Amino acid sequence: EDQVTQSPEALRLQEGESSSLNCSYTVSGLRGLFWYRQDPGKGPEFLFTLYSAGEEKEKERLKATLTKKESFLHITAPKPEDSATYLCAVPNDYKLSFGAGTTVTVRA
Amino acid sequence: GEEVAQTPKHLVRGEGQKAKLYCAPIKGHSYVFWYQQVLKNEFKFLISFQNENVFDETGMPKERFSAKCLPNSPCSLEIQATKLEDSAVYFCASSQQGHGSEAFFGQGTRLTVV
């Protein structure tokens, strides 16, 4: 059974304090790794897809990277509006297996 | 449309009543997925469709849950005889090429069974 594990479970940051979130996976034949952002009471919002080790994607203050065993989501100089739960997911047969998420809180 | 539209946003049902949830996928997307989010971030896969055909229904409790995606109509997820444990947020997602491509999620329907 494919497994997706995210750490830490929660992250409290001061505005401007950069940090990284981890997503480790065990999957046979990776067919992509997806990062989503979920705000309270909303659906997951797609952020990035990574397909191969060494690949990097950037969007504003977020950068996602991928190795053969894990992915990192780097948040550079975060702002309060970056507060959310960040989810990673991998295709598992014909469905997505989600990690439990990292809840990020950025204080002004 | 440009986003996945789910209705209603909230639904309250007495135990044993029927609940029906709707989802309009993004235009041009061939795949539709239903997920149940019970605990804070735990997503449980229910069923997927490729156009109007069931693609994978391994997550569906078939005795009470059913789903359809008919041409020119929103997709639907129906729960007969709801139970307290069905209380959850139900998300619909759509994608162009199954889960090898990005899936875009709706805002969810919060079902509360009392």
Side-chain angles (χ1 to χ4, degrees), chain A residues 31 34 36 38 41-44 46 49 51 85 87 91 94-96 98-101 103, chain B residues 9 33 35 37 40-41 43 45 48 55-56 58 91 99-107:
Chain A
R31 292 178 289 123
F34 304 101
Y36 288 88
Q38 187 175 24
K42 306 274 184 162
F46 171 76
T49 307
Y51 285 108
T85 296
L87 298 157
Y94 300 105
K95 51 191 169 286
L96 283 178
F98 281 87
T103 299
Chain B
K9 196 169 170 64
F33 310 86
Y35 288 85
Q37 188 177 34
K40 190 181 164 195
N41 295 322
F43 284 83
F45 169 78
S48 60
F55 197 70
D56 181 349
T58 52
F91 287 105
H99 271 325
S101 63
E102 300 84 18
F104 295 87
F105 284 76
Q107 296 301 301

Side-chain angles (χ1 to χ4, degrees), chain B residues 76-112:
Chain B
S76 63
L77 176 69
E78 190 167 336
I79 310 172
Q80 303 283 346
T82 52
K83 296 184 178 181
L84 295 176
E85 66 252 34
D86 298 331
S87 294
V89 182
Y90 291 82
F91 287 105
C92 173
S94 71
S95 71
Q96 284 187 313
Q97 295 170 11
H99 271 325
S101 63
E102 300 84 18
F104 295 87
F105 284 76
Q107 296 301 301
T109 293
R110 179 174 293 280
L111 172 66
T112 303

Side-chain angles (χ1 to χ4, degrees), chain A residues 1-4 23 25-36 48-51 66 88-99, chain B residues 33 35 45 56 95 97-103:
Chain A
E1 174 88 8
D2 296 335
Q3 295 250 355
V4 183
C23 170
Y25 60 89
T26 57
V27 62
S28 47
L30 184 69
R31 292 178 289 123
L33 184 142
F34 304 101
W35 281 99
Y36 288 88
F48 303 110
T49 307
L50 300 166
Y51 285 108
L66 182 66
C88 70
V90 297
N92 173 9
D93 290 331
Y94 300 105
K95 51 191 169 286
L96 283 178
S97 287
F98 281 87
Chain B
F33 310 86
Y35 288 85
F45 169 78
D56 181 349
S95 71
Q97 295 170 11
H99 271 325
S101 63
E102 300 84 18

Side-chain angles (χ1 to χ4, degrees), chain B residues 1-2 14 30 32 35 37 40 42 44 51 53 56-57 61-62 67 73 76-77 88 91 93 99 105 113:
Chain B
E2 292 293 321
S30 304
V32 171
Y35 288 85
Q37 188 177 34
K40 190 181 164 195
E42 191 177 306
K44 181 190 172 191
N51 297 312
N53 303 307
D56 181 349
E57 57 182 347
K62 289 181 194 171
S73 296
S76 63
L77 176 69
F91 287 105
H99 271 325
F105 284 76
V113 181

